[in-house]
Amino acid sequence: MRHDVFIAGYGGQGVLLAGNLLSYAAIHEGRNVSFFPAYGVEKRGGAAMCTVIIADGDTGSPVVGHPSVAIMLNQLSFDKYAAKVKPGGFCIVNSSLVEADTAALPGVTLVRVPMNQIAIELGDARMVNMVACGAYAAVSGALALPSLQEALQKALPARNHSFIPANVKAMEAGAEQVRSAQGQ
Amino acid sequence: MIGKQFVKGNEAVAMAAIKAGVRCYFGYPITPQSDIPEYLSRELPRNGGTFIQAESEIGAINMVLGASAAGLRAMTSSSGPGISLKQEGISYMAGSELPGVIVDIMRQGPGLGGIDASQADYYQATRGGGHGGYRIIVLAPGSVQEMYDLTMLAFDLSDLYRIPAMVLADSVLGQMKESITPNRRPVCALPPKDWAVRGWAEGSPQNVVKSLKLGDGEMEKFHWEMHARYQLLADRESRWEEYRTDDARLIVTAFGSTARISRTAVETARAAGMKVGLLRPITLVPFPKKIYADLSRRCKLFLDIELSTGQMIDDVRLSVERDTEVAFYGRPPGAGSLPTPEEIFEQIGKVYP
Amino acid sequence: MKQVFGRSPSLKDVQTHFCPGCHHGAVHRLVAEAMDEFAIRDRTIGCASVGCSVFLYGYFNIDVVESPHGRAPAVATGVKRARPDNIVFTYQGDGDLAAIGMSEIIHAANRGEDITVIFVNNTTYGMTGGQMAPTTMPGQKTSTSPYGRDINNDGAPFKMAELLSNLDGVAFSARVAVNNPRNVLAAKKLVKTAFRYQVEGRGFSFIEALAACPTNWGMQPLAANERVGSEMIPYFPLGVYKNTDNL
Ligand SMILES: Cc1ncc(C[n+]2csc(CCOP(=O)(O)OP(=O)(O)O)c2C)c(N)n1
Ligand code: SF4
Ligand SMILES: [Mg+2]
């Protein structure tokens, strides 16, 4: 199996950490991973994006023209990249910040997750990326939630390990949001 | 077994350098390779080595020249503008037959250019770069694991042939993260560095490391000797990777990150029933000419892919049989110009014989 | 926030890319005001360096040449010799001027080139992400001095305003800071003096401006501003190191 996911947002939304978490989780499951980051020119507030490839065999190209899953954390990213998602793929949008029109993406399943809202409800607006990771796990089935939780140990510096329980909750909430939406 | 580690390409280079026994690193900050000096400023002193942030790339390469002349494994790393500045020192090292490793994480140029991935320094790397008519060994990794493995190899080849060696990658390979196995240093029988300056002891010969050759016929002899050594290098050390070339009608050829991207395009083409393969040179100097010649007798067409307007294609054309057709698809480097596998697949479709 | 100064006509009305709390913006304004004072905007040519100030052309209403890293004083020499009636200045960071460009600055100064050099010392390589600079302070941790600058290995920080003042070719050399209103006023005066020297054709003039780089110092803007006063000024004293007005 080969899974690819493209994550984009603005600097400060934790795009790269999200990509790292997905990577560590996949490694934990014994898969091969390639993580390719790209930064905007501006130091702050600029665009941040990354591509993660998870594969049992060769990960192949680190660059993907038409990803099977995209996670769009802000409007700018959605406007610029959502149309690239492969037909049959999924576009997970942070509906707290993104107004997304299903009609614009024929053949693509739009998954709305109010990430900011969920993160704030859980007590920390910075956990948007954690909610996104949870949602990705549920949408793609590429990774198990416990692996993501395991990944937090690796991806976060030791001084931030006290945040892990809260982050785990945020991941679960992201996944739950997807499941309940799919159940409907 | 040694555990796998999930690291950036640049970090893999730095880790491998330490494993290869580098004693001295001299460098100057430049994006997109600063992870290398940053890692080594932390780890090299702990491993008994010396790290100096030089005043410039010119300073850095000449520090490498000095440390190497003194017999130690030394390296530097940089990108476009800095590599240009290092050419003076590299030329002197080549003229003095000094080993040393130079890592070039290519970015856009000319001039200040930009920090996105580029392969437009292929000519600069493979044609010697500086004055005087010399070659350096050029290795082109295609994965983070190879960033590690080829950095180690660069030290050994450089010591073995007394030719500076370059690891030529780009910001895709430098910045991407993959799991690697930090392999042990391979066993390689190396000649003693009896030419190194260490103080002229009574009864031993005087050692002089220099490139000035004024004697009658001295320079000519040097060039013929080096020429023979380059030939030996080509015979023994040419490396490449083939993927599904056995029955291929069309062979895509590319190095480094574009080879990585192309491989996925080749897989797509195969899935669509097209007989397409990939030939990836791992050593750019020596360029693996023979395999190009061999394969050109079997396939109909080569498709050369580069992140430039076409440089390696010259070597491809010089290597294939005379009447072999070589098509080209390139994107000059710059923000947003990295080709995708889908795009390369489309190009394959256009020229597929 | 109350606007104290109006925008200088030499500056474009745009938002800069500088991080919050960065002092480059304040130094830009002082340079613009000096151009306004002498009404030289339309004959001033800027030589940008490579660093966070590389986008000079985006902020000043003047013609600009981009120079290779460290080479602005040589580029400025060429421009000034080609157009002696123009006012030519370089704007360089500490990595640019005092590391890779040390040779060019010393020689331009020693030749007494009739140019003005604005040198922004923020004790780090801002643009490339906070590596050690030639002005990084003893013990200061940066991404390439993770154990703190060790003067036995890395040497002591260069004090450029003092160093250049020893050269016969230098007509004016001063160090300023923009960390509080009093220092800004003093700096404004000295930057004008530096440009006056060139307007009067009196030779090489040099301003070192101490500056905060909150991003790479890992500090909030206020704390970074405070560091300029508490750590930098005691090590890099402000003042005029050379002035040839009375000669
Ligand atoms: C020859 C060369 N080497 C290295 C670089 C990378 N580089 C860009 S800016 C910079 C240093 C910037 O630091 P500084 O001059 O202190 O300016 P600041 O950003 O701090 O204002 C470096 C090393 C380059 N562009 N060219
Ligand atoms: S990195 Fe530092 S010098 Fe550069 S804009 Fe930000 S604060 Fe200013
Ligand atoms: Mg600086």
Side-chain angles (χ1 to χ4, degrees):
Chain A
M1 266 310 273
R2 188 171 185 277
H3 295 274
D4 56 63
V5 50
F6 175 73
I7 314 173
Y10 55 77
Q13 282 186 309
V15 168
L16 301 184
L17 178 57
N20 268 290
L21 278 172
L22 299 184
S23 304
Y24 278 114
I27 291 167
H28 179 73
E29 294 186 1
R31 327 280 274 287
N32 292 322
V33 176
S34 102
F35 164 84
F36 176 49
Y39 314 84
V41 206
E42 305 282 327
K43 261 190 164 20
R44 283 153 172 269
M49 52 211 150
C50 67
T51 305
V52 179
I53 318 258
I54 301 170
D56 291 322
D58 204 272
T59 51
S61 171
V63 184
V64 178
H66 301 295
S68 46
V69 182
I71 307 176
M72 308 280 88
L73 296 183
N74 66 345
Q75 189 72 45
L76 207 72
S77 305
F78 180 82
D79 294 345
K80 199 162 170 195
Y81 302 113
K84 296 199 184 226
V85 179
K86 195 189 263 179
F90 294 86
C91 186
I92 305 172
V93 299
N94 175 8
S95 56
S96 307
L97 301 182
V98 180
E99 262 188 54
D101 180 7
T102 329
L105 301 175
V108 171
T109 310
L110 195 64
V111 184
R112 291 190 175 84
V113 181
M115 300 178 191
N116 284 58
Q117 195 188 320
I118 293 175
I120 290 167
E121 275 165 16
L122 292 173
D124 191 342
R126 285 173 302 178
M127 297 192 302
V128 164
N129 53 351
M130 302 295 157
V131 179
C133 287
Y136 173 74
V139 165
S140 66
L143 298 165
L145 269 187
S147 311
L148 272 170
Q149 294 161 8
E150 201 65 40
L152 284 165
Q153 307 275 349
K154 292 247 165 89
L156 294 183
R159 65 188 141 84
N160 289 345
H161 280 192
S162 56
F163 298 117
I164 290 180
N167 288 336
V168 168
K169 279 216 176 71
M171 287 175 174
E172 280 166 352
E176 183 48 39
Q177 174 74 29
V178 170
R179 271 187 242 112
S180 60
Q182 281 171 345
Q184 280 164 14
Chain B
M1 207 193 89
I2 320 170
K4 286 206 165 203
Q5 276 178 274
F6 184 58
V7 295
K8 270 189 192 180
N10 283 338
E11 286 166 343
V13 165
M15 288 163 63
I18 289 180
K19 269 275 169 64
V22 73
R23 301 322 302 147
C24 302
Y25 173 93
F26 308 107
Y28 188 80
I30 188 166
T31 311
Q33 63 80 53
S34 292
D35 314 282
I36 300 173
E38 286 170 2
Y39 185 99
L40 290 171
S41 69
R42 196 173 67 236
E43 299 301 331
L44 199 49
R46 281 188 192 161
N47 286 277
T50 296
F51 170 91
I52 292 183
Q53 185 178 307
E55 68 277 18
S56 70
E57 290 86 352
I58 302 178
I61 190 71
N62 286 293
M63 291 174 191
V64 171
L65 189 157
S68 174
L72 297 195
R73 281 201 157 174
M75 76 178 289
T76 186
S77 61
S78 192
S79 184
I83 295 289
S84 291
L85 289 176
K86 289 185 197 292
Q87 296 304 337
E88 178 193 56
I90 297 173
S91 170
Y92 276 72
M93 287 173 69
S96 311
E97 294 176 65
L98 284 177
V101 171
I102 303 115
V103 178
D104 180 358
I105 307 296
M106 287 181 281
R107 58 184 243 172
Q108 304 150 239
L112 199 49
I115 60 172
D116 289 281
S118 165
Q119 296 186 320
D121 294 333
Y122 179 91
Y123 279 155
Q124 184 194 44
T126 59
R127 266 57 185 167
H131 68 280
Y134 63 90
R135 295 291 172 109
I136 59 173
I137 297 162
V138 182
L139 309 179
S143 65
V144 177
Q145 180 70 52
E146 272 193 356
M147 292 287 267
Y148 185 94
D149 294 339
L150 295 186
T151 298
M152 281 216 243
L153 179 67
F155 279 102
D156 283 341
L157 292 183
S158 189
D159 275 350
L160 198 55
Y161 293 91
R162 291 182 62 187
I163 296 175
M166 177 177 276
V167 176
L168 186 72
D170 60 34
S171 50
V172 171
L173 288 159
Q175 296 301 320
M176 76 188 252
K177 276 175 139 182
E178 292 184 303
S179 293
I180 65 160
T181 308
N183 297 317
R184 287 204 186 77
R185 184 173 158 187
V187 182
C188 175
L190 296 170
K193 294 185 174 180
D194 50 13
W195 42 263
V197 293
R198 41 171 69 83
W200 189 4
E202 199 77 45
S204 63
Q206 180 190 19
N207 280 349
V208 178
V209 175
K210 69 179 185 72
S211 59
L212 183 69
K213 295 172 174 63
L214 298 177
D216 217 2
E218 187 187 358
M219 187 57 99
E220 184 180 4
K221 181 163 162 276
F222 167 81
H223 274 282
W224 284 122
E225 270 176 25
M226 291 312 294
H227 186 77
R229 210 180 298 170
Y230 298 145
Q231 194 54 55
L232 196 65
L233 195 68
D235 294 344
R236 287 194 196 152
E237 310 294 351
S238 295
R239 286 168 166 78
W240 66 90
E241 184 193 33
E242 284 172 80
Y243 174 66
R244 306 203 64 174
T245 49
D246 41 351
D247 64 341
R249 293 163 63 82
L250 182 155
I251 294 179
V252 175
T253 186
F255 73 98
S257 58
T258 49
R260 240 334 246 284
I261 299 169
S262 299
R263 184 179 164 124
T264 298
V266 167
E267 279 166 9
T268 313
R270 280 283 172 176
M274 298 155 95
K275 289 187 173 166
V276 180
L278 176 74
L279 175 57
R280 173 174 74 94
I282 294 172
T283 53
L284 300 181
V285 175
F287 195 74
K289 286 185 180 163
K290 196 173 163 302
I291 186 69
Y292 280 91
D294 292 349
L295 291 178
S296 68
R297 283 188 282 272
R298 300 214 303 262
C299 74
K300 292 245 183 299
L301 174 76
F302 278 87
L303 172 59
D304 174 82
I305 313 268
E306 296 181 60
L307 207 49
S308 71
T309 50
Q311 300 188 5
M312 185 179 86
I313 189 167
D314 292 359
D315 286 327
V316 175
R317 287 209 170 108
L318 286 170
S319 306
V320 297
E321 291 286 303
R322 271 173 82 172
D323 49 0
T324 312
E325 215 188 313
V326 183
F328 175 73
Y329 181 69
R331 297 280 303 266
S337 82
L338 206 55
T340 63
E342 292 89 338
E343 190 179 331
I344 293 173
F345 173 61
E346 205 184 303
Q347 294 301 320
I348 291 173
K350 275 190 191 157
V351 296
Y352 186 69
Chain C
M1 209 173 83
K2 194 171 138 241
Q3 206 177 355
V4 185
F5 305 101
R7 186 175 52 83
S8 149
S10 298
L11 281 182
K12 290 187 182 169
D13 188 11
V14 294
Q15 227 204 324
T16 71
H17 73 291
F18 299 125
C19 311
C22 176
H23 284 179
H24 269 301
V27 178
H28 275 40
R29 200 174 62 210
L30 296 182
V31 171
E33 285 168 359
M35 287 192 257
D36 298 341
E37 168 91 7
F38 299 111
I40 50 172
R41 183 203 62 76
D42 57 354
R43 63 178 175 113
T44 298
I45 297 169
C47 295
S49 67
V50 184
C52 283
S53 58
V54 70
F55 302 116
L56 220 58
Y57 53 82
Y59 306 134
F60 286 98
N61 287 313
I62 58 170
D63 282 355
V64 171
V65 189
E66 182 188 274
S67 321
H69 192 30
R71 318 300 179 211
V75 171
T77 297
V79 173
K80 184 75 182 188
R81 297 283 179 125
R83 296 195 174 275
D85 296 334
N86 284 80
I87 300 296
V88 180
F89 75 95
T90 74
Y91 187 111
Q92 304 173 254
D94 40 20
D96 189 271
L97 180 139
I100 193 166
M102 188 59 113
S103 174
E104 281 73 13
I105 187 66
I106 295 270
H107 285 277
N110 197 53
R111 285 191 304 268
E113 291 297 338
D114 209 357
I115 60 174
T116 302
V117 171
I118 307 294
F119 168 53
V120 177
N121 173 0
N122 59 11
T123 73
T124 191
Y125 287 69
M127 185 181 226
T128 43
Q131 292 83 10
M132 186 180 71
T135 47
T136 292
M137 302 190 47
Q140 185 181 335
K141 286 186 179 159
T142 69
S143 66
T144 50
S145 58
Y147 309 113
R149 183 187 188 125
D150 171 5
I151 60 169
N152 294 317
N153 189 60
D154 309 316
F158 281 102
K159 297 184 176 180
M160 289 308 298
E162 289 89 328
L163 194 153
L164 291 177
S165 67
N166 289 323
L167 298 175
D168 289 346
V170 172
F172 181 79
S173 173
R175 183 180 291 117
V176 304
V178 290
N179 61 323
N180 61 41
R182 193 168 51 93
N183 285 344
V184 170
L185 272 177
K188 185 171 170 163
K189 215 177 107 207
L190 292 173
V191 171
K192 278 184 189 162
T193 308
F195 276 91
R196 175 169 61 77
Y197 268 73
Q198 190 178 168
V199 169
E200 293 171 358
R202 305 176 53 156
F204 187 89
S205 53
F206 183 79
I207 291 285
E208 172 172 347
L210 301 182
C213 172
T215 302
N216 287 307
W217 293 356
M219 287 179 165
Q220 292 301 316
L222 274 181
N225 194 65
E226 246 160 57
R227 177 181 180 245
V228 175
S230 61
E231 290 180 32
M232 287 181 75
I233 293 179
Y235 196 91
F236 299 107
L238 305 184
V240 176
Y241 287 91
K242 185 158 191 184
N243 130 21
T244 45
D245 267 339
N246 301 321
L247 292 184

